[in-house]
Amino acid sequence: MWVQQLGAALEPVSVAAAPLVGPAWREVPAFTLVFAAIFFAALPFWHYVVGVNWKKAAILSSCSMSSVHGLLCALGGYEQLLAWGTFQPDAPNTYPQKLLNEFSLAYMIADSFLFLLPWTPDDVVFIVHHILSSTYLVGCLLNGHGAIGCIMMFFLGEVTSPVFNAFSISKELRHHSKAAFRVFNMMSPIFTIAFIGVRSIIAPPITAWFVYRLWFSSPLLPVAWRAAMGSCIVLGMVASQLWSFKLLRGWSKQHRRGAQLAAEQKRE
């Protein structure tokens, strides 16, 4: 698992941080530094090399962090889910599962403090998303149980990450480059279909089953944490349905606009 290999490479940093942060989030500072390095390396690239303004460069740098997190999280999550034999949401955390949770928490911290709060403090949806996700991650790490359930939720979210980031990057660059405009037009329906397919068709029944097991069949987790963690999942799922509706409406408007332009060109 690549995250485990990365954790091993960063072990000296984790050893130094352990007395300050405690064993529950021993690797979080090291992983946060990795995401910060990605952000600050990408920021001048997007601004000076590609030529976009600083705000767009920050958005694209956030996409750069998200791409790394999504890829490693999905690959590592797939590996852990294949080995999940009990399907018990409150199973004790294994070391690889704990690392994946710390990796995701580090991404949430870096993206919140380097991008969302300084550059887009009005993006309430993403800020709430990061708060809900971080709450679940903290609950799993603090209690030493439930990391596999969090991995499952993140896998469902990040499996569409490559399409999402290609869509997001091309969206920001579509007025800057004809190639990006073509990619955006191609990725818009693909991302819409992939997101709605995963978040609004596949995920809801899985999520309903999981939340039921978490709330009523997970005695190894404290009741308060079970209530909080399950509520985070439910709220996240509601937000996903709102985003699915927004994507579908946006794609429909774009499709109608394209049809109208084509009709006008034929009349001319």
Side-chain angles (χ1 to χ4, degrees):
M1 189 175 71
W2 289 356
V3 172
Q4 196 166 351
Q5 294 172 359
L6 180 61
L10 297 170
E11 181 63 16
V13 180
S14 299
V15 169
L20 301 175
V21 298
W25 5 75
R26 180 177 178 272
E27 285 82 11
V28 171
F31 287 144
T32 303
L33 289 175
V34 169
F35 285 113
I38 294 170
F39 183 85
F40 286 116
L43 192 64
F45 169 80
W46 292 115
H47 179 68
Y48 292 113
V49 178
V50 178
V52 298
N53 61 44
W54 281 112
K55 184 170 184 179
K56 280 189 180 293
I59 294 171
L60 292 165
S61 298
S62 174
C63 289
S64 301
M65 289 194 296
S66 176
S67 297
V68 173
H69 172 257
L71 176 63
L72 298 187
C73 185
L75 291 175
Y78 178 73
E79 181 180 331
Q80 294 303 310
L81 290 171
L82 285 179
W84 187 24
T86 64
F87 297 104
Q88 190 61 31
D90 61 348
N93 299 344
T94 65
Y95 181 65
Q97 293 167 6
K98 176 178 179 291
L99 274 184
L100 276 173
N101 276 202
E102 290 182 284
F103 185 70
S104 293
L105 181 59
Y107 163 70
M108 297 296 166
I109 293 171
D111 199 44
S112 296
F113 287 98
L114 298 180
F115 169 63
L116 286 175
L117 295 179
W119 296 96
T120 57
D122 57 339
D123 194 344
V124 178
V125 173
F126 262 99
I127 291 173
V128 171
H129 168 272
H130 282 23
I131 291 173
L132 293 175
S133 300
S134 298
T135 300
Y136 197 117
L137 289 162
V138 167
C140 294
L141 292 169
L142 190 64
N143 291 290
H145 291 78
I148 187 62
C150 196
I151 288 169
M152 184 180 75
M153 292 295 107
F154 268 86
F155 178 79
L156 289 172
E158 298 298 345
V159 72
T160 57
S161 180
V163 183
F164 169 70
N165 286 302
F167 167 78
S168 299
I169 291 171
S170 62
K171 180 181 178 182
E172 294 302 323
L173 296 176
R174 70 188 188 277
H175 299 306
H176 186 78
S177 160
K178 291 182 178 179
F181 183 76
R182 288 194 294 270
V183 172
F184 172 73
N185 285 334
M186 179 183 70
M187 294 306 302
S188 181
I190 294 174
F191 171 61
T192 300
I193 292 168
F195 187 91
I196 293 174
V198 173
R199 300 289 184 98
S200 299
I201 298 174
I202 297 174
I206 297 174
T207 301
W209 164 81
F210 180 78
V211 171
Y212 176 82
R213 293 291 305 274
L214 179 64
W215 277 346
F216 303 108
S217 302
S218 302
L220 297 179
L221 286 168
V223 174
W225 273 111
R226 271 188 275 161
M229 292 157 69
S231 299
C232 287
I233 295 173
V234 171
L235 290 171
M237 186 53 57
V238 170
S240 291
Q241 306 322 304
L242 294 175
W243 201 3
S244 290
F245 175 75
K246 181 181 177 182
L247 283 172
L248 191 60
R249 185 178 62 179
W251 180 81
S252 178
K253 286 182 178 178
Q254 184 181 356
H255 181 71
R256 287 198 303 270
R257 193 180 302 118
Q260 289 172 356
L261 289 173
E264 290 173 2
Q265 289 174 355
K266 284 183 179 179
R267 284 196 296 268
E268 292 175 358

